[in-house]
């Protein structure tokens, strides 16, 4: 449903030639994976690609398992001659480590200027990995979430 909503917005804004929405997953390996849908409502979040494990590393029972092609970002860019992104936003509810692990060339490239990523206080090893690619933590803003999400924040990494 989210992919259909995205394409509808692209159509309504006449961006069909400028925005390329691809129904695939970013991962640390190439293959057919399952997108484990936590909720079937339009705009729902907390889904997981690969294993049905949430952002707290706890298993959940998916409402639906949708098969998708998955690629490491480096391979996706190289295989399909896509332009290198200058800015990346990741909000994938727990799969950040795999995506970052699958993109060392992309995130190490000097043309890659910034990364906005949703993290939690336990993600120190991931911060270290991102910084090993030459991006430095520049901003950290507490997410305006409640309940068990209070340790979540938005982090901006920039190339110095």
């Amino acid at each position: 449903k989210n992919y259909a909503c995205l394409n509808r917005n692209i159509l309504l804004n006449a961006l069909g030639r400028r925005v390329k929405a691809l129904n695939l997953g970013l991962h640390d390996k190439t293959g057919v994976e399952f997108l484990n849908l936590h909720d079937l409502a339009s705009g729902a979040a907390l889904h997981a690609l690969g294993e049905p494990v949430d952002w707290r590393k706890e298993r959940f029972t998916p409402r639906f398992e949708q098969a998708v092609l998955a690629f490491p970002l480096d391979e996706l860019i190289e295989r399909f001659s896509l332009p290198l992104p200058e800015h990346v936003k990741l909000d994938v509810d727990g799969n950040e480590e795999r995506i970052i692990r699958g993109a060392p060339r992309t995130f190490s490239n000097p043309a890659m200027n910034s990364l906005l990523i949703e993290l939690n206080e336990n993600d120190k090893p991931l911060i270290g990995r991102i910084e090993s690619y030459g991006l430095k933590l520049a901003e950290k803003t507490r997410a305006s979430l409640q309940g068990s999400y209070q340790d979540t924040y938005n982090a901006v990494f920039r190339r110095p």
Side-chain angles (χ1 to χ4, degrees), residues 29-152:
K29 62 183 181 193
T30 301
V32 176
E33 290 287 341
F34 285 99
L35 177 60
N36 297 284
L37 301 176
H38 189 266
D39 188 324
L40 300 179
S42 294
L46 305 177
H47 311 307
L49 183 66
E51 293 295 313
V53 176
D54 68 16
W55 60 283
R56 292 263 187 225
K57 312 293 187 240
E58 296 174 5
R59 292 191 73 78
F60 68 92
T61 301
R63 296 282 311 273
F64 182 69
E65 298 167 307
Q66 177 185 337
V68 296
L69 290 174
F71 293 93
L73 182 56
D74 284 349
E75 182 182 343
L76 182 70
I77 290 169
E78 292 162 11
R79 181 180 284 195
F80 298 101
S81 301
L82 298 175
L84 183 82
E86 294 178 32
H87 308 281
V88 171
K89 178 185 186 294
L90 285 180
D91 183 356
V92 293
D93 300 327
N95 215 25
E96 294 84 1
E97 174 68 33
R98 288 187 136 167
I99 293 170
I100 298 298
R101 199 171 43 232
R105 292 185 301 280
T106 299
F107 289 115
S108 296
N109 191 306
M112 173 67 203
N113 294 319
S114 67
L115 167 66
L116 169 60
I117 185 170
E118 191 175 74
L119 299 172
N120 68 46
E121 297 295 340
N122 301 325
D123 287 327
K124 289 177 180 47
L126 180 56
I127 291 169
R129 182 182 293 273
I130 294 167
E131 289 189 332
S132 77
Y133 298 150
L135 296 163
K136 299 298 176 208
L137 182 59
E139 296 174 39
K140 185 174 161 181
T141 307
R142 179 90 36 216
S144 58
L145 302 170
Q146 299 178 17
S148 62
Y149 304 103
Q150 288 182 347
D151 65 345
T152 302

